[in-house]
Amino acid sequence: MLIRDLEWLLQVGELGHVTEAASALGTSQPTLSRALGRLEDELGVRVFERLPTGVETTADGELVLEAARDLVARHDLLRATLANRVDPDTGLVRLAFLDSMATTLVPRMLRAFHAHAPGLKVALSQEPAHEIRRDVDRGAVELGLTMDRSDDLAWLPVRRERLVVVVPPTHRLRGRKRVDLAELADDELVTTPVGYAHSVIVQALFAEVAVVPRISFESADLATIEGLVSAGLGVAVVPEAFAGQSGSVGLALSSPGATRTIGLTWRTDRPLAPPAQRFVDFVRGRAWDD
């Protein structure tokens, strides 16, 4: 059953005459008659009674016409909705990002993008890196802001952030400007769960100084981690922007690798929809980072 056939059916029902309907539709009367016959055969009912003066809708035909109106209207709505979603001025961008960017990078970027393209909508989802990858792969989002770089996905570096260690306000090293992670070998660590990109970075930094940290608490949220440190429940390695948010003390790390790189990623096996491409171009232009 074709939407076109349903549209033709509705035209015949409205005009009550096959020849007039064919003329209005810009097709021939035999072509329209065959389409109607094919539709009636498929439905197993007679929609119209043929009369010398035209056609008359049967009782079953009234049900068919009512359903046809609904189906055609839904089809038209779907097309209009999809057209709006991909419009570069009024469409939709679906962006997933790490929780740790929720109060820092993402608001700044989106504020600038909204000023640049006020008609575009951005649907946001906060996820760990492995879920961002999954959603990019299956098309649930077009773009991801993450620390995980994959060779089979596009990658646009967005920001390099310095990592610091945060300690409680009563910590023995609170007065220092810079520390080595080896000095924290006896402290308990508050960090993200195993499998999170941030956890991988932190574990690698401790491995550089041959320390296996004792983990006291795990949280997916870096702001929560900083709060736990402030409460005296351990130390943590976090992006510099999180230091001191609820009373912790941030100390620079001597390790040159104490950074994390955030990038925008997307699939390359298909073209990006115009709204998503516009977002990528905007981020690449760096105007938001002024």
PDB file of all heavy atoms in Angstrom, residues 66-89:
ATOM      1  N   GLU A  66     -11.518   7.211   6.324  1.00  0.00           N
ATOM      2  CA  GLU A  66     -11.158   7.791   7.624  1.00  0.00           C
ATOM      3  C   GLU A  66      -9.731   7.397   8.008  1.00  0.00           C
ATOM      4  O   GLU A  66      -8.936   8.229   8.451  1.00  0.00           O
ATOM      5  CB  GLU A  66     -12.136   7.325   8.689  1.00  0.00           C
ATOM      6  CG  GLU A  66     -11.849   7.907  10.065  1.00  0.00           C
ATOM      7  CD  GLU A  66     -12.847   7.431  11.119  1.00  0.00           C
ATOM      8  OE1 GLU A  66     -13.817   6.735  10.751  1.00  0.00           O
ATOM      9  OE2 GLU A  66     -12.647   7.767  12.304  1.00  0.00           O
ATOM     10  N   ALA A  67      -9.406   6.116   7.815  1.00  0.00           N
ATOM     11  CA  ALA A  67      -8.053   5.654   8.134  1.00  0.00           C
ATOM     12  C   ALA A  67      -7.037   6.281   7.186  1.00  0.00           C
ATOM     13  O   ALA A  67      -5.925   6.627   7.596  1.00  0.00           O
ATOM     14  CB  ALA A  67      -7.995   4.135   8.055  1.00  0.00           C
ATOM     15  N   ALA A  68      -7.417   6.425   5.901  1.00  0.00           N
ATOM     16  CA  ALA A  68      -6.511   7.006   4.920  1.00  0.00           C
ATOM     17  C   ALA A  68      -6.185   8.451   5.276  1.00  0.00           C
ATOM     18  O   ALA A  68      -5.034   8.891   5.149  1.00  0.00           O
ATOM     19  CB  ALA A  68      -7.114   6.927   3.524  1.00  0.00           C
ATOM     20  N   ARG A  69      -7.184   9.196   5.736  1.00  0.00           N
ATOM     21  CA  ARG A  69      -6.935  10.580   6.147  1.00  0.00           C
ATOM     22  C   ARG A  69      -5.926  10.624   7.288  1.00  0.00           C
ATOM     23  O   ARG A  69      -5.021  11.472   7.301  1.00  0.00           O
ATOM     24  CB  ARG A  69      -8.235  11.249   6.582  1.00  0.00           C
ATOM     25  CG  ARG A  69      -9.230  11.494   5.460  1.00  0.00           C
ATOM     26  CD  ARG A  69     -10.406  12.326   5.923  1.00  0.00           C
ATOM     27  NE  ARG A  69     -11.463  12.298   4.925  1.00  0.00           N
ATOM     28  CZ  ARG A  69     -12.517  11.471   4.961  1.00  0.00           C
ATOM     29  NH1 ARG A  69     -12.643  10.618   5.982  1.00  0.00           N
ATOM     30  NH2 ARG A  69     -13.410  11.503   4.009  1.00  0.00           N
ATOM     31  N   ASP A  70      -6.085   9.714   8.245  1.00  0.00           N
ATOM     32  CA  ASP A  70      -5.172   9.685   9.390  1.00  0.00           C
ATOM     33  C   ASP A  70      -3.756   9.317   8.951  1.00  0.00           C
ATOM     34  O   ASP A  70      -2.778   9.942   9.378  1.00  0.00           O
ATOM     35  CB  ASP A  70      -5.691   8.685  10.423  1.00  0.00           C
ATOM     36  CG  ASP A  70      -4.831   8.661  11.678  1.00  0.00           C
ATOM     37  OD1 ASP A  70      -4.629   9.712  12.288  1.00  0.00           O
ATOM     38  OD2 ASP A  70      -4.349   7.563  12.034  1.00  0.00           O
ATOM     39  N   LEU A  71      -3.626   8.306   8.090  1.00  0.00           N
ATOM     40  CA  LEU A  71      -2.314   7.858   7.642  1.00  0.00           C
ATOM     41  C   LEU A  71      -1.603   8.925   6.816  1.00  0.00           C
ATOM     42  O   LEU A  71      -0.402   9.165   6.989  1.00  0.00           O
ATOM     43  CB  LEU A  71      -2.449   6.568   6.829  1.00  0.00           C
ATOM     44  CG  LEU A  71      -2.838   5.314   7.624  1.00  0.00           C
ATOM     45  CD1 LEU A  71      -3.175   4.173   6.675  1.00  0.00           C
ATOM     46  CD2 LEU A  71      -1.694   4.911   8.550  1.00  0.00           C
ATOM     47  N   VAL A  72      -2.325   9.578   5.930  1.00  0.00           N
ATOM     48  CA  VAL A  72      -1.724  10.620   5.109  1.00  0.00           C
ATOM     49  C   VAL A  72      -1.312  11.813   5.974  1.00  0.00           C
ATOM     50  O   VAL A  72      -0.231  12.385   5.783  1.00  0.00           O
ATOM     51  CB  VAL A  72      -2.700  11.065   3.999  1.00  0.00           C
ATOM     52  CG1 VAL A  72      -2.194  12.322   3.295  1.00  0.00           C
ATOM     53  CG2 VAL A  72      -2.880   9.939   2.978  1.00  0.00           C
ATOM     54  N   ALA A  73      -2.149  12.163   6.946  1.00  0.00           N
ATOM     55  CA  ALA A  73      -1.814  13.273   7.834  1.00  0.00           C
ATOM     56  C   ALA A  73      -0.568  12.952   8.658  1.00  0.00           C
ATOM     57  O   ALA A  73       0.312  13.802   8.842  1.00  0.00           O
ATOM     58  CB  ALA A  73      -2.994  13.586   8.755  1.00  0.00           C
ATOM     59  N   ARG A  74      -0.478  11.704   9.158  1.00  0.00           N
ATOM     60  CA  ARG A  74       0.695  11.311   9.934  1.00  0.00           C
ATOM     61  C   ARG A  74       1.953  11.308   9.058  1.00  0.00           C
ATOM     62  O   ARG A  74       3.038  11.689   9.512  1.00  0.00           O
ATOM     63  CB  ARG A  74       0.477   9.927  10.553  1.00  0.00           C
ATOM     64  CG  ARG A  74      -0.494   9.920  11.722  1.00  0.00           C
ATOM     65  CD  ARG A  74      -0.778   8.505  12.208  1.00  0.00           C
ATOM     66  NE  ARG A  74      -1.639   8.516  13.350  1.00  0.00           N
ATOM     67  CZ  ARG A  74      -1.235   8.552  14.619  1.00  0.00           C
ATOM     68  NH1 ARG A  74       0.071   8.616  14.882  1.00  0.00           N
ATOM     69  NH2 ARG A  74      -2.086   8.553  15.618  1.00  0.00           N
ATOM     70  N   HIS A  75       1.787  10.861   7.817  1.00  0.00           N
ATOM     71  CA  HIS A  75       2.920  10.863   6.888  1.00  0.00           C
ATOM     72  C   HIS A  75       3.395  12.285   6.614  1.00  0.00           C
ATOM     73  O   HIS A  75       4.597  12.562   6.609  1.00  0.00           O
ATOM     74  CB  HIS A  75       2.499  10.165   5.584  1.00  0.00           C
ATOM     75  CG  HIS A  75       3.554  10.175   4.531  1.00  0.00           C
ATOM     76  ND1 HIS A  75       3.541  11.068   3.483  1.00  0.00           N
ATOM     77  CD2 HIS A  75       4.658   9.407   4.355  1.00  0.00           C
ATOM     78  CE1 HIS A  75       4.588  10.853   2.704  1.00  0.00           C
ATOM     79  NE2 HIS A  75       5.281   9.854   3.207  1.00  0.00           N
ATOM     80  N   ASP A  76       2.457  13.186   6.399  1.00  0.00           N
ATOM     81  CA  ASP A  76       2.818  14.580   6.145  1.00  0.00           C
ATOM     82  C   ASP A  76       3.509  15.198   7.359  1.00  0.00           C
ATOM     83  O   ASP A  76       4.476  15.965   7.217  1.00  0.00           O
ATOM     84  CB  ASP A  76       1.575  15.392   5.788  1.00  0.00           C
ATOM     85  CG  ASP A  76       1.000  15.013   4.425  1.00  0.00           C
ATOM     86  OD1 ASP A  76       1.731  14.363   3.641  1.00  0.00           O
ATOM     87  OD2 ASP A  76      -0.164  15.349   4.155  1.00  0.00           O
ATOM     88  N   LEU A  77       2.999  14.854   8.558  1.00  0.00           N
ATOM     89  CA  LEU A  77       3.603  15.370   9.784  1.00  0.00           C
ATOM     90  C   LEU A  77       5.028  14.837   9.948  1.00  0.00           C
ATOM     91  O   LEU A  77       5.939  15.571  10.341  1.00  0.00           O
ATOM     92  CB  LEU A  77       2.752  14.993  10.988  1.00  0.00           C
ATOM     93  CG  LEU A  77       3.294  15.413  12.361  1.00  0.00           C
ATOM     94  CD1 LEU A  77       3.433  16.933  12.436  1.00  0.00           C
ATOM     95  CD2 LEU A  77       2.383  14.896  13.476  1.00  0.00           C
ATOM     96  N   LEU A  78       5.211  13.554   9.655  1.00  0.00           N
ATOM     97  CA  LEU A  78       6.538  12.958   9.755  1.00  0.00           C
ATOM     98  C   LEU A  78       7.522  13.645   8.821  1.00  0.00           C
ATOM     99  O   LEU A  78       8.641  13.986   9.214  1.00  0.00           O
ATOM    100  CB  LEU A  78       6.468  11.462   9.434  1.00  0.00           C
ATOM    101  CG  LEU A  78       7.821  10.729   9.335  1.00  0.00           C
ATOM    102  CD1 LEU A  78       8.555  10.789  10.669  1.00  0.00           C
ATOM    103  CD2 LEU A  78       7.606   9.288   8.890  1.00  0.00           C
ATOM    104  N   ARG A  79       7.107  13.874   7.582  1.00  0.00           N
ATOM    105  CA  ARG A  79       7.988  14.524   6.620  1.00  0.00           C
ATOM    106  C   ARG A  79       8.332  15.952   7.062  1.00  0.00           C
ATOM    107  O   ARG A  79       9.481  16.393   6.950  1.00  0.00           O
ATOM    108  CB  ARG A  79       7.341  14.538   5.237  1.00  0.00           C
ATOM    109  CG  ARG A  79       7.280  13.162   4.580  1.00  0.00           C
ATOM    110  CD  ARG A  79       6.576  13.235   3.227  1.00  0.00           C
ATOM    111  NE  ARG A  79       7.299  14.088   2.312  1.00  0.00           N
ATOM    112  CZ  ARG A  79       8.288  13.674   1.512  1.00  0.00           C
ATOM    113  NH1 ARG A  79       8.684  12.412   1.557  1.00  0.00           N
ATOM    114  NH2 ARG A  79       8.883  14.511   0.683  1.00  0.00           N
ATOM    115  N   ALA A  80       7.319  16.657   7.571  1.00  0.00           N
ATOM    116  CA  ALA A  80       7.555  18.025   8.024  1.00  0.00           C
ATOM    117  C   ALA A  80       8.487  18.044   9.231  1.00  0.00           C
ATOM    118  O   ALA A  80       9.380  18.898   9.338  1.00  0.00           O
ATOM    119  CB  ALA A  80       6.232  18.696   8.378  1.00  0.00           C
ATOM    120  N   THR A  81       8.291  17.080  10.142  1.00  0.00           N
ATOM    121  CA  THR A  81       9.129  17.008  11.337  1.00  0.00           C
ATOM    122  C   THR A  81      10.579  16.702  10.970  1.00  0.00           C
ATOM    123  O   THR A  81      11.513  17.322  11.483  1.00  0.00           O
ATOM    124  CB  THR A  81       8.595  15.938  12.302  1.00  0.00           C
ATOM    125  OG1 THR A  81       7.262  16.270  12.683  1.00  0.00           O
ATOM    126  CG2 THR A  81       9.473  15.848  13.551  1.00  0.00           C
ATOM    127  N   LEU A  82      10.756  15.729  10.064  1.00  0.00           N
ATOM    128  CA  LEU A  82      12.111  15.364   9.648  1.00  0.00           C
ATOM    129  C   LEU A  82      12.780  16.523   8.907  1.00  0.00           C
ATOM    130  O   LEU A  82      13.968  16.778   9.095  1.00  0.00           O
ATOM    131  CB  LEU A  82      12.071  14.122   8.759  1.00  0.00           C
ATOM    132  CG  LEU A  82      11.690  12.816   9.464  1.00  0.00           C
ATOM    133  CD1 LEU A  82      11.579  11.682   8.454  1.00  0.00           C
ATOM    134  CD2 LEU A  82      12.714  12.461  10.539  1.00  0.00           C
ATOM    135  N   ALA A  83      12.011  17.198   8.068  1.00  0.00           N
ATOM    136  CA  ALA A  83      12.569  18.344   7.343  1.00  0.00           C
ATOM    137  C   ALA A  83      13.017  19.430   8.321  1.00  0.00           C
ATOM    138  O   ALA A  83      14.060  20.060   8.141  1.00  0.00           O
ATOM    139  CB  ALA A  83      11.537  18.906   6.370  1.00  0.00           C
ATOM    140  N   ASN A  84      12.235  19.619   9.392  1.00  0.00           N
ATOM    141  CA  ASN A  84      12.602  20.621  10.390  1.00  0.00           C
ATOM    142  C   ASN A  84      13.851  20.207  11.153  1.00  0.00           C
ATOM    143  O   ASN A  84      14.715  21.032  11.463  1.00  0.00           O
ATOM    144  CB  ASN A  84      11.446  20.825  11.370  1.00  0.00           C
ATOM    145  CG  ASN A  84      11.777  21.860  12.430  1.00  0.00           C
ATOM    146  OD1 ASN A  84      11.988  23.023  12.123  1.00  0.00           O
ATOM    147  ND2 ASN A  84      11.829  21.428  13.679  1.00  0.00           N
ATOM    148  N   ARG A  85      13.984  18.903  11.443  1.00  0.00           N
ATOM    149  CA  ARG A  85      15.130  18.418  12.208  1.00  0.00           C
ATOM    150  C   ARG A  85      16.439  18.621  11.461  1.00  0.00           C
ATOM    151  O   ARG A  85      17.486  18.809  12.087  1.00  0.00           O
ATOM    152  CB  ARG A  85      14.954  16.932  12.535  1.00  0.00           C
ATOM    153  CG  ARG A  85      13.968  16.663  13.651  1.00  0.00           C
ATOM    154  CD  ARG A  85      13.705  15.179  13.775  1.00  0.00           C
ATOM    155  NE  ARG A  85      14.885  14.446  14.167  1.00  0.00           N
ATOM    156  CZ  ARG A  85      15.188  14.118  15.422  1.00  0.00           C
ATOM    157  NH1 ARG A  85      14.406  14.498  16.397  1.00  0.00           N
ATOM    158  NH2 ARG A  85      16.267  13.422  15.702  1.00  0.00           N
ATOM    159  N   VAL A  86      16.412  18.559  10.151  1.00  0.00           N
ATOM    160  CA  VAL A  86      17.656  18.678   9.385  1.00  0.00           C
ATOM    161  C   VAL A  86      17.859  20.069   8.792  1.00  0.00           C
ATOM    162  O   VAL A  86      18.848  20.301   8.109  1.00  0.00           O
ATOM    163  CB  VAL A  86      17.726  17.616   8.262  1.00  0.00           C
ATOM    164  CG1 VAL A  86      17.650  16.219   8.845  1.00  0.00           C
ATOM    165  CG2 VAL A  86      16.618  17.810   7.228  1.00  0.00           C
ATOM    166  N   ASP A  87      16.941  20.982   9.095  1.00  0.00           N
ATOM    167  CA  ASP A  87      17.112  22.352   8.613  1.00  0.00           C
ATOM    168  C   ASP A  87      18.299  22.986   9.335  1.00  0.00           C
ATOM    169  O   ASP A  87      18.371  22.967  10.565  1.00  0.00           O
ATOM    170  CB  ASP A  87      15.835  23.159   8.883  1.00  0.00           C
ATOM    171  CG  ASP A  87      15.888  24.536   8.243  1.00  0.00           C
ATOM    172  OD1 ASP A  87      16.717  25.351   8.689  1.00  0.00           O
ATOM    173  OD2 ASP A  87      15.115  24.791   7.311  1.00  0.00           O
ATOM    174  N   PRO A  88      19.266  23.563   8.593  1.00  0.00           N
ATOM    175  CA  PRO A  88      20.462  24.120   9.240  1.00  0.00           C
ATOM    176  C   PRO A  88      20.178  25.341  10.099  1.00  0.00           C
ATOM    177  O   PRO A  88      21.044  25.784  10.857  1.00  0.00           O
ATOM    178  CB  PRO A  88      21.368  24.474   8.058  1.00  0.00           C
ATOM    179  CG  PRO A  88      20.441  24.657   6.905  1.00  0.00           C
ATOM    180  CD  PRO A  88      19.319  23.684   7.123  1.00  0.00           C
ATOM    181  N   ASP A  89      18.973  25.910   9.997  1.00  0.00           N
ATOM    182  CA  ASP A  89      18.635  27.086  10.789  1.00  0.00           C
ATOM    183  C   ASP A  89      17.678  26.789  11.934  1.00  0.00           C
ATOM    184  O   ASP A  89      17.664  27.504  12.935  1.00  0.00           O
ATOM    185  CB  ASP A  89      18.023  28.172   9.894  1.00  0.00           C
ATOM    186  CG  ASP A  89      19.011  28.682   8.856  1.00  0.00           C
ATOM    187  OD1 ASP A  89      20.179  28.898   9.228  1.00  0.00           O
ATOM    188  OD2 ASP A  89      18.618  28.853   7.688  1.00  0.00           O
TER     189      ASP A  89
END
